[in-house]
Amino acid sequence: MESEASDVRRWTTATVHPDMWADPGEDPRERDAVEGADERAALLEALRYFRLTLELKCEGLDAEQLARRSVPPSTMSLLGLIRHMAEDERHFRRLAGEDLPRIYRTADDREADWDGAVADPAVVEEARRRWKEEAAATDRFLAAAPDLGAPLPDGGRLRELLAMQVTEYARHCGHADLLRERVDGRVGQ
């Protein structure tokens, strides 16, 4: 099956490493390591890094490009990832004990975060706003949780849930790499 993106040329703004998103000195994700960072600081830094990575992968695209399912037969799109991660931020807090309804998914449509990712500027704006709100709510929840060893309702520990959230972002940032490259050829780390 020939994709409409088959003529896309790879490109980057990087000059030092032409297969990277940006030169190391220009990458907003990179910061000096904090010496002696504890477990909490390390996990929160990883979460910040991957959230920003997803944001960068979606930067500069219009509604059609964000909604494009550029890696068939997958139903994923960059806009779908934004919606999915908003849902996932809320899911994190639900697993940690907060009583919250789902944002997009329903019992009848478990894929609504992906299916509702349509090329409409209003949908894009709502998805970005919702994702930012949900991430901020997760940050507030984590700031109020003094102990990552605190037990969760399911018997797990908050540290395990936070590590799982970082893993979920990292996994989907890999998807975002492929989706973005197929949309407009932009490559990156």
Side-chain angles (χ1 to χ4, degrees):
M1 172 176 9
E2 192 66 26
S3 168
E4 64 187 52
S6 64
D7 62 348
V8 171
R9 302 270 188 253
R10 297 182 87 193
W11 69 279
T12 180
T13 61
T15 58
V16 176
H17 304 287
D19 62 336
M20 295 179 80
W21 187 261
D23 287 330
E26 301 297 320
D27 190 333
R29 297 168 299 176
E30 300 300 331
R31 302 198 296 201
D32 290 335
V34 177
E35 283 200 37
D38 64 4
E39 174 188 38
R40 174 186 289 270
L43 286 168
L44 292 176
E45 175 59 19
L47 185 59
R48 180 203 67 83
Y49 182 94
F50 288 119
R51 283 174 177 163
L52 184 52
T53 298
L54 181 57
E55 187 174 345
L56 289 170
K57 296 299 176 173
C58 298
E59 185 177 84
L61 299 176
D62 63 26
E64 185 281 322
Q65 290 170 313
L66 286 167
R68 190 181 303 165
R69 294 174 175 191
S70 60
V71 185
S74 174
T75 61
M76 284 187 179
S77 66
L78 290 165
L79 179 57
L81 280 174
I82 294 169
R83 291 165 53 96
H84 179 73
M85 293 315 297
E87 189 81 68
D88 204 62
E89 291 279 356
R90 183 170 280 205
H91 183 66
F92 171 91
R93 297 191 318 280
R94 240 190 341 270
L95 290 174
E98 288 190 2
D99 184 20
L100 301 166
R102 292 187 179 273
I103 302 168
Y104 302 111
R105 296 182 209 160
T106 66
D108 295 330
D109 188 359
R110 292 183 37 83
E111 300 293 317
D113 41 358
W114 307 105
D115 295 339
V118 297
D120 177 337
V123 172
V124 171
E125 181 57 34
E126 184 276 335
R128 283 185 165 146
R129 179 190 55 76
R130 179 58 70 108
W131 177 45
K132 294 292 185 180
E133 288 173 357
E134 295 300 326
T138 298
D139 289 346
R140 287 189 301 275
F141 176 88
L142 288 167
D147 180 12
L148 292 183
L152 300 175
D154 69 357
R157 303 280 181 218
L158 185 54
R159 75 173 37 86
E160 297 158 356
L161 186 58
L162 182 52
M164 186 176 76
Q165 185 72 351
V166 169
T167 302
E168 181 75 358
Y169 266 100
R171 178 175 167 259
H172 286 310
C173 283
H175 296 132
D177 280 339
L178 296 172
L179 291 164
R180 177 64 188 251
E181 186 172 355
R182 293 294 293 158
V183 167
D184 73 350
R186 180 107 190 243
V187 297
Q189 68 272 33

